[in-house]
Amino acid sequence: MATASLGSTPVVNLGASDVVASSTSESETPAEQAAAQQGMEDAFQGKANASSSELGQAVNYYNAAYSGAQAALAAYNAATQGQGAGTQDYTYYGNTASKKNDDGTTHTTTNDTSGKPQQDGSTDDVNQGGADNPKEASASASTYETTLNNNLASQTNVSVKTSSSISIPTSQTTSIVNARTSYQSDTNLAASFDAGVAYAFGQLGQEDAESGKWQGIYSGSNGAAKDQYLASAANDTSNPYDQAYRGAVAAMNAYFDGSNNYKGNTAVAASSTGNTYYDQGYNDVVNQAKNGIAYVQNGNQFSAVLTGNASIGGGGNVASGINTIRLANDVDFKNVSNGENDQSTNANVGTFTIDGQNHMMDYHGMDYTINNVKDLYVQNFQTLYGANYYGPYRAVGGAAIHYGNLNYVGSELLSSGGNDAYFFGNVNVITPNNNSAIYNSPFQSNVPLEGGGNQENLEVNNFILQAGAHYFGTTSPVVGGNSIIVQGNFTVDTGAKMTIVPRGQGPENSQDGSAFGIMLMGNNASLNIKKDATVNIIPGH
Protein backbone atom coordinates (compact mmCIF):
# COMPACT_ATOMS: atom_id res chain seq x y z
CA MET A 1 0.00 0.00 0.00
CA ALA A 2 1.34 3.43 -0.90
CA THR A 3 1.54 5.92 1.91
CA ALA A 4 1.87 9.65 2.36
CA SER A 5 3.38 11.67 5.16
CA LEU A 6 1.01 13.25 7.67
CA GLY A 7 -0.53 16.44 6.33
CA SER A 8 0.19 15.71 2.69
CA THR A 9 -2.40 14.68 0.16
CA PRO A 10 -3.47 11.09 0.94
CA VAL A 11 -2.76 8.41 -1.64
CA VAL A 12 -5.80 6.65 -3.06
CA ASN A 13 -5.32 2.91 -3.50
CA LEU A 14 -7.69 1.48 -6.06
CA GLY A 15 -5.98 -1.83 -6.74
CA ALA A 16 -6.77 -3.66 -9.95
CA SER A 17 -9.38 -2.30 -12.31
CA ASP A 18 -12.96 -3.44 -11.90
CA VAL A 19 -14.58 -5.04 -14.88
CA VAL A 20 -17.92 -3.36 -15.53
CA ALA A 21 -20.09 -6.46 -15.40
CA SER A 22 -23.60 -6.87 -16.72
CA SER A 23 -26.37 -8.77 -14.95
CA THR A 24 -27.53 -10.17 -18.26
CA SER A 25 -26.37 -13.00 -20.51
CA GLU A 26 -27.84 -14.89 -23.44
CA SER A 27 -29.15 -17.67 -21.22
CA GLU A 28 -30.78 -15.46 -18.61
CA THR A 29 -34.52 -14.98 -18.72
CA PRO A 30 -36.10 -11.57 -18.13
CA ALA A 31 -37.31 -12.80 -14.74
CA GLU A 32 -33.79 -13.82 -13.75
CA GLN A 33 -32.37 -10.49 -14.91
CA ALA A 34 -35.04 -8.63 -12.91
CA ALA A 35 -34.34 -10.79 -9.86
CA ALA A 36 -30.62 -10.00 -10.00
CA GLN A 37 -31.34 -6.29 -10.32
CA GLN A 38 -33.73 -6.43 -7.38
CA GLY A 39 -31.21 -8.35 -5.29
CA MET A 40 -28.41 -5.84 -5.72
CA GLU A 41 -30.75 -2.92 -5.06
CA ASP A 42 -32.16 -4.53 -1.91
CA ALA A 43 -28.69 -5.24 -0.56
CA PHE A 44 -27.46 -1.71 -1.21
CA GLN A 45 -30.52 -0.21 0.48
CA GLY A 46 -29.98 -2.41 3.54
CA LYS A 47 -33.17 -4.40 3.05
CA ALA A 48 -33.55 -7.98 4.20
CA ASN A 49 -32.97 -10.72 1.66
CA ALA A 50 -36.25 -11.24 -0.18
CA SER A 51 -35.27 -14.11 -2.46
CA SER A 52 -38.22 -16.13 -1.15
CA SER A 53 -40.46 -13.94 -3.29
CA GLU A 54 -38.72 -15.14 -6.45
CA LEU A 55 -39.49 -18.30 -8.42
CA GLY A 56 -37.26 -21.07 -9.75
CA GLN A 57 -33.72 -20.16 -10.83
CA ALA A 58 -34.48 -16.48 -10.26
CA VAL A 59 -33.89 -17.15 -6.56
CA ASN A 60 -30.24 -17.92 -7.27
CA TYR A 61 -29.78 -14.85 -9.45
CA TYR A 62 -31.26 -12.68 -6.72
CA ASN A 63 -28.99 -14.20 -4.08
CA ALA A 64 -25.87 -13.89 -6.22
CA ALA A 65 -26.41 -10.21 -6.93
CA TYR A 66 -27.46 -9.58 -3.33
CA SER A 67 -24.28 -11.24 -2.09
CA GLY A 68 -22.12 -9.26 -4.50
CA ALA A 69 -23.53 -5.92 -3.36
CA GLN A 70 -23.25 -6.97 0.28
CA ALA A 71 -19.61 -7.97 -0.19
CA ALA A 72 -18.80 -4.64 -1.81
CA LEU A 73 -20.52 -2.69 0.96
CA ALA A 74 -18.77 -4.66 3.68
CA ALA A 75 -15.37 -4.12 2.10
CA TYR A 76 -16.04 -0.40 1.59
CA ASN A 77 -17.27 0.13 5.15
CA ALA A 78 -14.27 -1.68 6.60
CA ALA A 79 -11.82 0.36 4.51
CA THR A 80 -13.40 3.79 5.13
CA GLN A 81 -14.68 3.43 8.70
CA GLY A 82 -14.49 6.83 10.43
CA GLN A 83 -12.96 8.52 7.39
CA GLY A 84 -14.16 11.35 5.21
CA ALA A 85 -16.82 13.93 6.00
CA GLY A 86 -19.35 12.14 8.20
CA THR A 87 -21.30 12.19 11.45
CA GLN A 88 -18.28 11.77 13.73
CA ASP A 89 -18.68 15.22 15.33
CA TYR A 90 -22.42 15.14 16.03
CA THR A 91 -21.85 14.34 19.68
CA TYR A 92 -24.09 14.86 22.68
CA TYR A 93 -23.79 15.46 26.40
CA GLY A 94 -25.33 12.40 28.01
CA ASN A 95 -25.33 13.14 31.72
CA THR A 96 -28.53 13.61 33.71
CA ALA A 97 -29.36 13.64 37.38
CA SER A 98 -29.87 10.22 38.94
CA LYS A 99 -33.40 8.92 38.71
CA LYS A 100 -35.32 6.46 40.84
CA ASN A 101 -36.56 3.12 39.64
CA ASP A 102 -40.18 2.19 40.23
CA ASP A 103 -39.15 0.25 43.35
CA GLY A 104 -37.45 3.33 44.81
CA THR A 105 -33.87 2.27 44.18
CA THR A 106 -31.43 4.53 42.37
CA HIS A 107 -31.15 3.75 38.67
CA THR A 108 -27.71 2.61 37.58
CA THR A 109 -26.23 2.87 34.10
CA THR A 110 -23.13 1.85 32.21
CA ASN A 111 -23.16 5.05 30.16
CA ASP A 112 -20.34 7.53 30.64
CA THR A 113 -21.41 10.50 32.76
CA SER A 114 -18.09 12.34 33.04
CA GLY A 115 -18.88 14.84 30.29
CA LYS A 116 -16.98 12.93 27.64
CA PRO A 117 -18.79 13.51 24.31
CA GLN A 118 -21.08 10.64 23.42
CA GLN A 119 -20.99 9.60 19.78
CA ASP A 120 -23.92 9.90 17.42
CA GLY A 121 -25.90 6.67 17.52
CA SER A 122 -24.47 5.47 20.83
CA THR A 123 -26.72 3.98 23.50
CA ASP A 124 -28.57 6.70 25.36
CA ASP A 125 -30.24 5.73 28.63
CA VAL A 126 -33.08 8.15 29.37
CA ASN A 127 -32.64 7.35 33.06
CA GLN A 128 -28.92 7.95 32.99
CA GLY A 129 -27.53 9.06 36.33
CA GLY A 130 -24.18 10.27 37.55
CA ALA A 131 -22.93 13.79 38.16
CA ASP A 132 -26.09 14.97 39.87
CA ASN A 133 -24.84 17.49 42.44
CA PRO A 134 -23.79 21.07 41.57
CA LYS A 135 -20.05 20.50 41.82
CA GLU A 136 -19.96 17.30 39.78
CA ALA A 137 -22.52 18.58 37.28
CA SER A 138 -20.48 21.73 36.69
CA ALA A 139 -17.30 19.71 36.20
CA SER A 140 -19.04 17.32 33.82
CA ALA A 141 -20.57 20.09 31.68
CA SER A 142 -17.24 21.94 31.67
CA THR A 143 -15.47 18.85 30.35
CA TYR A 144 -17.93 18.58 27.47
CA GLU A 145 -17.78 22.31 26.69
CA THR A 146 -13.98 22.37 26.76
CA THR A 147 -13.79 19.41 24.41
CA LEU A 148 -16.11 21.07 21.90
CA ASN A 149 -14.26 24.39 22.14
CA ASN A 150 -10.95 22.66 21.49
CA ASN A 151 -12.30 20.63 18.57
CA LEU A 152 -14.66 23.07 16.87
CA ALA A 153 -13.82 26.64 17.87
CA SER A 154 -10.37 26.19 16.44
CA GLN A 155 -8.32 26.80 13.33
CA THR A 156 -7.38 23.11 13.40
CA ASN A 157 -10.97 21.87 13.04
CA VAL A 158 -11.37 19.44 10.14
CA SER A 159 -14.46 18.02 8.47
CA VAL A 160 -12.71 15.41 6.31
CA LYS A 161 -11.18 12.82 8.60
CA THR A 162 -8.39 10.88 6.91
CA SER A 163 -5.47 8.69 7.76
CA SER A 164 -2.30 8.70 5.69
CA SER A 165 -4.13 7.16 2.73
CA ILE A 166 -7.60 6.59 1.36
CA SER A 167 -8.16 2.99 0.33
CA ILE A 168 -11.14 2.30 -1.89
CA PRO A 169 -11.78 -1.45 -2.37
CA THR A 170 -12.41 -3.01 -5.78
CA SER A 171 -13.71 -6.31 -7.09
CA GLN A 172 -10.19 -7.65 -6.55
CA THR A 173 -10.24 -6.99 -2.80
CA THR A 174 -9.60 -10.25 -0.97
CA SER A 175 -12.88 -10.38 0.94
CA ILE A 176 -14.86 -9.88 -2.27
CA VAL A 177 -12.86 -12.46 -4.18
CA ASN A 178 -13.48 -14.95 -1.37
CA ALA A 179 -17.21 -14.25 -1.35
CA ARG A 180 -17.34 -14.82 -5.11
CA THR A 181 -16.12 -18.43 -4.81
CA SER A 182 -19.65 -19.54 -3.92
CA TYR A 183 -20.76 -18.66 -7.46
CA GLN A 184 -17.70 -19.24 -9.63
CA SER A 185 -18.84 -22.65 -10.83
CA ASP A 186 -21.78 -21.06 -12.66
CA THR A 187 -20.83 -18.39 -15.19
CA ASN A 188 -24.18 -16.64 -15.09
CA LEU A 189 -24.42 -16.53 -11.30
CA ALA A 190 -20.83 -15.32 -11.08
CA ALA A 191 -21.76 -12.56 -13.52
CA SER A 192 -24.71 -11.61 -11.30
CA PHE A 193 -22.41 -11.49 -8.29
CA ASP A 194 -20.00 -9.27 -10.25
CA ALA A 195 -22.86 -7.04 -11.33
CA GLY A 196 -23.90 -6.64 -7.69
CA VAL A 197 -20.36 -5.64 -6.77
CA ALA A 198 -20.13 -3.15 -9.62
CA TYR A 199 -23.58 -1.72 -8.84
CA ALA A 200 -22.70 -1.10 -5.20
CA PHE A 201 -19.37 0.55 -6.01
CA GLY A 202 -21.03 2.73 -8.64
CA GLN A 203 -23.65 3.89 -6.15
CA LEU A 204 -20.99 4.57 -3.51
CA GLY A 205 -18.85 6.60 -5.89
CA GLN A 206 -21.82 8.67 -6.93
CA GLU A 207 -22.92 9.27 -3.34
CA ASP A 208 -19.43 10.15 -2.12
CA ALA A 209 -18.98 12.74 -4.86
CA GLU A 210 -22.38 14.32 -4.25
CA SER A 211 -21.82 14.54 -0.50
CA GLY A 212 -18.24 15.77 -0.87
CA LYS A 213 -17.08 12.93 1.36
CA TRP A 214 -13.43 13.42 0.39
CA GLN A 215 -13.58 17.16 -0.28
CA GLY A 216 -12.92 19.83 2.33
CA ILE A 217 -10.60 20.84 5.14
CA TYR A 218 -8.37 17.99 6.31
CA SER A 219 -5.54 17.59 8.80
CA GLY A 220 -2.48 19.54 7.71
CA SER A 221 -4.28 21.49 4.97
CA ASN A 222 -3.94 24.85 6.79
CA GLY A 223 -7.45 25.93 5.89
CA ALA A 224 -7.25 24.89 2.23
CA ALA A 225 -9.99 22.63 0.90
CA LYS A 226 -9.49 20.12 -1.85
CA ASP A 227 -10.94 16.93 -3.25
CA GLN A 228 -8.45 14.44 -1.91
CA TYR A 229 -9.79 11.60 -4.02
CA LEU A 230 -9.41 13.35 -7.37
CA ALA A 231 -6.05 14.77 -6.31
CA SER A 232 -4.58 11.28 -6.07
CA ALA A 233 -6.67 8.75 -7.98
CA ALA A 234 -5.89 7.83 -11.57
CA ASN A 235 -8.78 8.04 -14.03
CA ASP A 236 -9.74 4.38 -14.39
CA THR A 237 -12.45 4.00 -17.01
CA SER A 238 -13.21 0.42 -15.94
CA ASN A 239 -13.67 1.21 -12.23
CA PRO A 240 -17.35 1.78 -11.25
CA TYR A 241 -16.57 3.80 -8.11
CA ASP A 242 -14.06 6.02 -9.87
CA GLN A 243 -16.20 6.67 -12.92
CA ALA A 244 -19.44 7.36 -11.02
CA TYR A 245 -17.50 9.71 -8.75
CA ARG A 246 -16.01 11.60 -11.69
CA GLY A 247 -19.32 11.77 -13.49
CA ALA A 248 -21.11 13.29 -10.49
CA VAL A 249 -18.32 15.85 -9.94
CA ALA A 250 -18.39 16.84 -13.62
CA ALA A 251 -22.14 17.38 -13.49
CA MET A 252 -21.97 19.49 -10.32
CA ASN A 253 -19.35 21.69 -11.97
CA ALA A 254 -21.38 22.01 -15.18
CA TYR A 255 -24.12 24.00 -13.45
CA PHE A 256 -21.80 26.97 -12.86
CA ASP A 257 -19.84 29.13 -15.29
CA GLY A 258 -16.27 30.31 -14.76
CA SER A 259 -17.50 33.15 -12.53
CA ASN A 260 -19.58 30.80 -10.34
CA ASN A 261 -22.89 32.04 -11.73
CA TYR A 262 -25.63 29.39 -11.55
CA LYS A 263 -26.89 28.45 -15.01
CA GLY A 264 -30.26 27.08 -13.87
CA ASN A 265 -31.59 23.72 -12.81
CA THR A 266 -32.48 22.63 -16.36
CA ALA A 267 -29.35 23.99 -18.05
CA VAL A 268 -27.34 20.76 -18.16
CA ALA A 269 -28.16 17.93 -20.55
CA ALA A 270 -27.83 14.26 -19.68
CA SER A 271 -24.53 12.54 -20.38
CA SER A 272 -24.24 9.73 -22.93
CA THR A 273 -20.53 8.96 -23.10
CA GLY A 274 -21.12 5.23 -23.23
CA ASN A 275 -19.36 4.67 -19.90
CA THR A 276 -22.16 3.24 -17.79
CA TYR A 277 -20.98 4.44 -14.41
CA TYR A 278 -19.71 7.87 -15.48
CA ASP A 279 -23.07 8.55 -17.11
CA GLN A 280 -24.88 7.19 -14.06
CA GLY A 281 -23.12 9.60 -11.68
CA TYR A 282 -23.48 12.55 -14.04
CA ASN A 283 -27.14 11.96 -14.77
CA ASP A 284 -28.06 11.46 -11.13
CA VAL A 285 -26.96 15.05 -10.45
CA VAL A 286 -28.90 16.22 -13.53
CA ASN A 287 -32.06 14.47 -12.38
CA GLN A 288 -31.73 15.85 -8.85
CA ALA A 289 -31.32 19.37 -10.21
CA LYS A 290 -34.58 19.03 -12.11
CA ASN A 291 -36.17 18.05 -8.79
CA GLY A 292 -34.88 21.19 -7.05
CA ILE A 293 -31.50 20.17 -5.57
CA ALA A 294 -28.41 22.33 -6.16
CA TYR A 295 -24.91 21.22 -5.14
CA VAL A 296 -22.44 23.99 -4.26
CA GLN A 297 -18.70 23.86 -3.61
CA ASN A 298 -17.73 27.41 -2.61
CA GLY A 299 -19.19 30.59 -1.15
CA ASN A 300 -19.82 32.24 -4.51
CA GLN A 301 -21.77 29.26 -5.78
CA PHE A 302 -23.77 29.21 -2.54
CA SER A 303 -24.61 32.90 -2.96
CA ALA A 304 -25.47 32.41 -6.63
CA VAL A 305 -28.09 29.78 -5.77
CA LEU A 306 -29.41 31.46 -2.61
CA THR A 307 -29.66 35.03 -3.92
CA GLY A 308 -29.18 34.91 -7.69
CA ASN A 309 -25.83 36.71 -7.44
CA ALA A 310 -22.43 35.06 -7.18
CA SER A 311 -21.09 38.14 -5.44
CA ILE A 312 -21.53 37.48 -1.70
CA GLY A 313 -23.11 40.16 0.46
CA GLY A 314 -26.48 41.01 -1.05
CA GLY A 315 -30.00 39.63 -1.10
CA GLY A 316 -32.28 38.59 -3.93
CA ASN A 317 -34.13 35.47 -5.00
CA VAL A 318 -33.36 31.78 -4.71
CA ALA A 319 -32.64 30.25 -8.13
CA SER A 320 -35.84 29.25 -9.90
CA GLY A 321 -36.95 25.72 -9.20
CA ILE A 322 -34.55 25.16 -6.30
CA ASN A 323 -35.82 23.95 -2.93
CA THR A 324 -32.60 22.46 -1.49
CA ILE A 325 -28.97 23.59 -1.34
CA ARG A 326 -26.41 20.90 -0.51
CA LEU A 327 -22.77 21.59 0.31
CA ALA A 328 -20.29 19.28 -1.42
CA ASN A 329 -17.30 21.08 0.14
CA ASP A 330 -16.44 23.22 3.13
CA VAL A 331 -17.54 26.78 2.39
CA ASP A 332 -16.15 30.14 3.46
CA PHE A 333 -17.60 33.57 2.66
CA LYS A 334 -14.10 34.66 1.75
CA ASN A 335 -13.33 38.40 1.79
CA VAL A 336 -16.74 39.22 3.29
CA SER A 337 -16.76 41.54 6.31
CA ASN A 338 -17.29 40.13 9.78
CA GLY A 339 -19.46 43.13 10.57
CA GLU A 340 -23.24 42.76 10.63
CA ASN A 341 -24.77 42.38 7.16
CA ASP A 342 -28.48 41.50 7.17
CA GLN A 343 -30.00 40.47 3.85
CA SER A 344 -33.12 38.70 2.63
CA THR A 345 -33.94 36.33 -0.19
CA ASN A 346 -37.19 34.94 -1.55
CA ALA A 347 -37.48 31.16 -1.71
CA ASN A 348 -41.06 30.86 -3.02
CA VAL A 349 -41.43 27.26 -1.81
CA GLY A 350 -43.22 25.72 1.14
CA THR A 351 -40.12 24.00 2.50
CA PHE A 352 -36.56 25.16 1.86
CA THR A 353 -33.55 23.14 3.02
CA ILE A 354 -29.90 24.09 3.52
CA ASP A 355 -27.99 20.86 4.02
CA GLY A 356 -24.33 21.01 5.01
CA GLN A 357 -23.83 17.30 4.28
CA ASN A 358 -21.38 17.11 7.21
CA HIS A 359 -19.29 20.08 6.05
CA MET A 360 -18.38 23.32 7.78
CA MET A 361 -19.28 26.86 6.75
CA ASP A 362 -18.11 30.27 7.94
CA TYR A 363 -20.75 32.98 7.43
CA HIS A 364 -18.58 35.87 8.72
CA GLY A 365 -21.09 38.67 9.48
CA MET A 366 -23.85 37.51 7.13
CA ASP A 367 -27.47 36.90 8.12
CA TYR A 368 -30.13 35.89 5.61
CA THR A 369 -33.88 36.14 6.15
CA ILE A 370 -35.58 33.51 3.99
CA ASN A 371 -38.93 34.85 2.79
CA ASN A 372 -41.92 33.09 1.26
CA VAL A 373 -41.43 29.80 3.11
CA LYS A 374 -43.37 27.90 5.74
CA ASP A 375 -40.50 25.70 6.93
CA LEU A 376 -36.74 26.27 6.76
CA TYR A 377 -34.42 23.34 7.49
CA VAL A 378 -30.78 23.93 8.46
CA GLN A 379 -29.10 20.58 9.00
CA ASN A 380 -25.99 18.40 8.89
CA PHE A 381 -23.28 20.99 9.50
CA GLN A 382 -20.09 19.72 11.07
CA THR A 383 -19.67 23.33 12.21
CA LEU A 384 -21.40 26.59 11.40
CA TYR A 385 -19.49 29.76 12.27
CA GLY A 386 -21.02 33.22 12.49
CA ALA A 387 -20.41 36.63 14.06
CA ASN A 388 -23.89 38.14 13.45
CA TYR A 389 -26.06 38.27 16.55
CA TYR A 390 -29.18 37.43 14.56
CA GLY A 391 -27.59 34.16 13.51
CA PRO A 392 -26.91 32.88 9.98
CA TYR A 393 -30.60 32.53 9.11
CA ARG A 394 -33.98 33.88 10.01
CA ALA A 395 -37.27 33.26 8.24
CA VAL A 396 -40.33 35.29 7.42
CA GLY A 397 -42.57 35.86 10.45
CA GLY A 398 -44.74 32.84 11.23
CA ALA A 399 -42.39 30.33 9.61
CA ALA A 400 -40.69 27.52 11.49
CA ILE A 401 -36.94 26.87 11.45
CA HIS A 402 -35.79 23.28 11.96
CA TYR A 403 -32.23 22.63 13.14
CA GLY A 404 -30.75 19.14 13.16
CA ASN A 405 -27.33 17.52 13.55
CA LEU A 406 -25.17 20.59 13.69
CA ASN A 407 -22.58 22.40 15.77
CA TYR A 408 -22.74 26.19 15.92
CA VAL A 409 -19.87 28.41 17.03
CA GLY A 410 -20.60 32.12 17.18
CA SER A 411 -22.59 34.93 18.66
CA GLU A 412 -26.17 33.61 18.61
CA LEU A 413 -27.78 30.85 16.58
CA LEU A 414 -31.15 32.57 16.12
CA SER A 415 -32.66 35.85 17.24
CA SER A 416 -36.18 35.99 15.82
CA GLY A 417 -39.24 36.18 18.04
CA GLY A 418 -41.42 35.55 15.01
CA ASN A 419 -40.08 32.06 14.30
CA ASP A 420 -40.77 28.75 16.00
CA ALA A 421 -37.58 26.72 16.43
CA TYR A 422 -37.51 22.91 16.24
CA PHE A 423 -34.45 20.80 17.07
CA PHE A 424 -33.79 17.19 16.10
CA GLY A 425 -30.77 14.91 16.27
CA ASN A 426 -27.76 16.32 18.13
CA VAL A 427 -27.28 20.09 18.31
CA ASN A 428 -24.51 21.95 20.13
CA VAL A 429 -24.57 25.76 20.36
CA ILE A 430 -21.22 26.99 21.61
CA THR A 431 -20.33 30.58 22.37
CA PRO A 432 -16.53 30.37 22.53
CA ASN A 433 -15.26 30.12 26.09
CA ASN A 434 -12.54 32.75 25.94
CA ASN A 435 -12.00 36.16 27.53
CA SER A 436 -12.00 38.11 24.26
CA ALA A 437 -15.46 37.35 22.79
CA ILE A 438 -13.96 36.03 19.55
CA TYR A 439 -14.18 32.89 17.46
CA ASN A 440 -11.64 31.02 15.39
CA SER A 441 -12.34 28.84 12.37
CA PRO A 442 -10.07 27.10 9.85
CA PHE A 443 -10.72 30.05 7.54
CA GLN A 444 -9.96 32.99 9.85
CA SER A 445 -9.02 33.86 13.42
CA ASN A 446 -9.89 36.32 16.18
CA VAL A 447 -13.31 37.18 14.74
CA PRO A 448 -15.21 39.52 17.13
CA LEU A 449 -18.63 38.29 18.23
CA GLU A 450 -21.30 40.92 17.66
CA GLY A 451 -22.57 41.99 21.07
CA GLY A 452 -19.20 41.45 22.67
CA GLY A 453 -20.23 38.25 24.43
CA ASN A 454 -23.61 39.36 25.81
CA GLN A 455 -25.92 37.27 23.65
CA GLU A 456 -28.32 34.39 24.18
CA ASN A 457 -28.22 31.09 22.33
CA LEU A 458 -31.77 31.61 21.09
CA GLU A 459 -34.59 34.17 21.05
CA VAL A 460 -37.63 32.54 19.43
CA ASN A 461 -41.38 32.24 19.51
CA ASN A 462 -42.00 28.59 20.46
CA PHE A 463 -39.11 26.22 21.26
CA ILE A 464 -39.48 22.49 20.61
CA LEU A 465 -36.75 19.91 21.32
CA GLN A 466 -38.09 16.89 19.48
CA ALA A 467 -38.37 13.35 20.84
CA GLY A 468 -34.99 11.71 21.43
CA ALA A 469 -33.01 14.81 20.46
CA HIS A 470 -30.08 16.35 22.35
CA TYR A 471 -29.33 20.04 22.82
CA PHE A 472 -26.30 21.53 24.57
CA GLY A 473 -25.77 25.29 24.73
CA THR A 474 -23.38 27.70 26.43
CA THR A 475 -23.14 31.48 26.59
CA SER A 476 -20.04 33.66 26.76
CA PRO A 477 -18.05 34.21 29.97
CA VAL A 478 -17.09 37.75 28.87
CA VAL A 479 -20.42 39.43 29.67
CA GLY A 480 -22.72 36.45 29.80
CA GLY A 481 -26.11 35.62 28.40
CA ASN A 482 -29.42 33.96 29.00
CA SER A 483 -29.58 30.60 27.27
CA ILE A 484 -33.02 30.58 25.64
CA ILE A 485 -35.74 33.23 25.53
CA VAL A 486 -39.17 32.27 24.20
CA GLN A 487 -42.23 34.39 23.55
CA GLY A 488 -44.53 31.36 23.47
CA ASN A 489 -44.13 27.83 24.81
CA PHE A 490 -41.07 25.77 25.67
CA THR A 491 -41.33 22.02 25.03
CA VAL A 492 -38.88 19.17 25.61
CA ASP A 493 -40.43 16.09 24.03
CA THR A 494 -40.28 12.46 25.12
CA GLY A 495 -36.79 11.15 25.84
CA ALA A 496 -35.05 14.38 24.76
CA LYS A 497 -32.13 15.77 26.74
CA MET A 498 -31.17 19.40 27.15
CA THR A 499 -28.23 20.91 29.01
CA ILE A 500 -27.78 24.70 29.04
CA VAL A 501 -25.05 26.78 30.67
CA PRO A 502 -26.12 30.41 31.22
CA ARG A 503 -23.49 32.88 32.43
CA GLY A 504 -23.06 36.44 33.63
CA GLN A 505 -24.72 39.11 35.71
CA GLY A 506 -25.48 41.81 33.14
CA PRO A 507 -26.21 40.26 29.75
CA GLU A 508 -28.70 41.45 27.15
CA ASN A 509 -32.28 41.00 28.38
CA SER A 510 -31.11 40.23 31.90
CA GLN A 511 -33.62 40.10 34.73
CA ASP A 512 -32.55 41.49 38.10
CA GLY A 513 -29.01 41.64 36.76
CA SER A 514 -28.87 37.87 36.29
CA ALA A 515 -28.66 35.37 33.44
CA PHE A 516 -31.26 32.61 33.22
CA GLY A 517 -31.38 29.27 31.49
CA ILE A 518 -34.96 29.56 30.23
CA MET A 519 -36.98 32.77 30.07
CA LEU A 520 -40.70 32.56 29.28
CA MET A 521 -41.75 36.05 28.16
CA GLY A 522 -45.39 35.51 27.15
CA ASN A 523 -48.23 36.03 29.60
CA ASN A 524 -49.65 32.59 28.82
CA ALA A 525 -46.40 30.78 28.10
CA SER A 526 -45.98 27.21 29.31
CA LEU A 527 -43.02 24.96 30.11
CA ASN A 528 -43.64 21.38 28.96
CA ILE A 529 -41.20 18.64 29.97
CA LYS A 530 -42.51 15.29 28.73
CA LYS A 531 -41.94 11.71 29.86
CA ASP A 532 -38.31 10.63 30.19
CA ALA A 533 -37.12 14.08 29.07
CA THR A 534 -34.32 15.88 30.88
CA VAL A 535 -33.43 19.55 31.31
CA ASN A 536 -30.14 20.40 33.03
CA ILE A 537 -29.51 24.06 33.84
CA ILE A 538 -25.93 24.39 35.04
CA PRO A 539 -24.91 28.04 35.62
CA GLY A 540 -21.40 28.70 34.40
CA HIS A 541 -18.74 31.16 35.40
Side-chain angles (χ1 to χ4, degrees), residues 97-119:
S98 295
K99 297 184 179 181
K100 298 294 184 180
N101 296 317
D102 291 340
D103 62 4
T105 61
T106 300
H107 180 83
T108 58
T109 178
T110 58
N111 286 6
D112 187 286
T113 58
S114 65
K116 176 183 177 181
Q118 302 299 292
Q119 293 300 309

Side-chain angles (χ1 to χ4, degrees), residues 23 63 72 90 133 174 205 211 292 296 327 344 418 430 475-476:
S23 63
N63 284 330
Y90 301 138
N133 61 69
T174 300
S211 69
V296 301
L327 272 61
S344 63
I430 302 297
T475 59
S476 173

